[in-house]
Amino acid sequence: MHALHAVYRRELLAYFQTPLAYVFLAVFASAAPALAFHMGRFFDTNRADLAPLFDYMPWLLLILMPALAMRSWAEERDRGTLEFLMALPIPLWASTLGKFLAAWSVAGLALVLTFPMWIAVNYLGNPDNAAILTGYFGALLLAGGYLALGQALSATTSNQVVAFVLGTSACFLLTMTGLPIVLAVVGDSAPAAVSEFIASLSALEHYNAFRNGVIALTDVVFFLGLIAAALSCAGVLIAERRGGGR
């Protein structure tokens, strides 16, 4: 746990020692309300809730989470510090989990920056705050899944731009599989069991339950399983690199 804390602290400080974290937080804090107010037509709904914010949250996260994750391992490989990190008496799991938790903390802070909208809807009316809290919980889990996936793909390259493109593409596919139009096309050309399986892999499908104010164990397990699987893949990729001496 001491090693995990050391890696977490190192990575979290690294985010704020460069403009990355500040730019990320500024973009998120401005883009989230903009999507809710303009594209989500927040004021036109005449409802005191944050549904417009949560409706567009997956599309915002699938771009910004890979941007936050791209430096995780790609930067270490590009600067030649990966070998030094691997030589330290720190378990690989601690390095992998510490990097993830640091990035997830920054993502959590970004979500906190949208809380003024929550305060605003309480001022304007009487929203279901339990449902809003559930929506934020789902958004945090979704952000964690996208971050873990982005970090796993970051371990495959030393180029941060390539890591960003790979991460965004993977998150996009994971989101698109839950769209009704995709499921309808699959349903017309494949057995029902195949459609149900594809739907079960959709991050959007599992996120929608939280957006609707429902916390289901299957949805929590899905996101935690996605995070665990992606981080395990990242660990395997880094371990192979260390074993290969490249």
Side-chain angles (χ1 to χ4, degrees):
M1 295 304 296
H2 178 72
L4 174 61
H5 180 265
V7 175
Y8 171 79
R9 184 173 181 274
R10 169 185 179 267
E11 292 297 318
L12 191 60
L13 288 175
Y15 278 113
F16 289 96
Q17 287 173 347
T18 65
L20 176 61
Y22 302 102
V23 172
F24 171 81
L25 293 173
V27 171
F28 194 98
S30 58
L35 289 173
F37 289 142
H38 298 291
M39 296 185 67
R41 306 179 67 84
F42 177 82
F43 293 109
D44 294 340
T45 61
N46 200 28
R47 296 183 304 173
D49 61 31
L50 290 183
L53 173 66
F54 295 128
D55 286 345
Y56 286 95
M57 187 64 72
W59 309 104
L60 182 62
L61 292 178
L62 75 82
I63 295 175
L64 293 184
M65 291 303 106
L68 189 63
M70 66 183 183
R71 62 170 293 274
S72 179
W73 294 107
E75 186 179 53
E76 300 280 8
R77 294 180 59 177
D78 183 49
R79 293 185 176 182
T81 56
L82 180 59
E83 288 73 14
F84 171 76
L85 180 63
M86 294 297 97
L88 295 175
I90 298 177
L92 184 56
W93 69 265
S95 298
T96 305
L97 185 58
K99 283 177 174 290
F100 168 74
L101 291 177
W104 206 13
S105 296
V106 177
L109 179 58
L111 290 173
V112 169
L113 292 179
T114 65
F115 279 10
M117 295 183 64
W118 192 355
I119 297 173
V121 296
N122 275 275
Y123 176 78
L124 295 172
N126 297 301
D128 186 346
N129 286 306
I132 293 176
L133 183 61
T134 300
Y136 272 112
F137 179 55
L140 184 63
L141 288 176
L142 181 63
Y146 286 165
L147 272 174
L149 191 57
Q151 289 192 342
L153 293 168
S154 176
T156 66
T157 178
S158 60
N159 189 308
Q160 294 189 44
V161 176
V162 173
F164 170 73
V165 172
L166 291 175
T168 303
S169 300
C171 292
F172 179 74
L173 291 174
L174 197 63
T175 304
M176 284 293 292
T177 55
L179 292 180
I181 186 173
V182 175
L183 295 177
V185 170
V186 174
D188 292 338
S189 58
V194 175
S195 299
E196 292 177 1
F197 175 73
I198 292 177
S200 69
L201 297 178
S202 169
L204 186 63
E205 187 73 16
H206 292 281
Y207 166 77
N208 282 339
F210 294 99
R211 190 188 65 176
N212 295 326
V214 178
I215 298 179
L217 180 60
T218 54
D219 299 320
V220 175
V221 170
F222 170 82
F223 285 113
L224 294 181
L226 175 61
I227 291 171
L231 293 182
S232 297
C233 288
V236 170
L237 290 169
I238 297 301
E240 288 182 351
R241 175 176 172 79
R242 177 171 59 181
R246 293 170 296 153

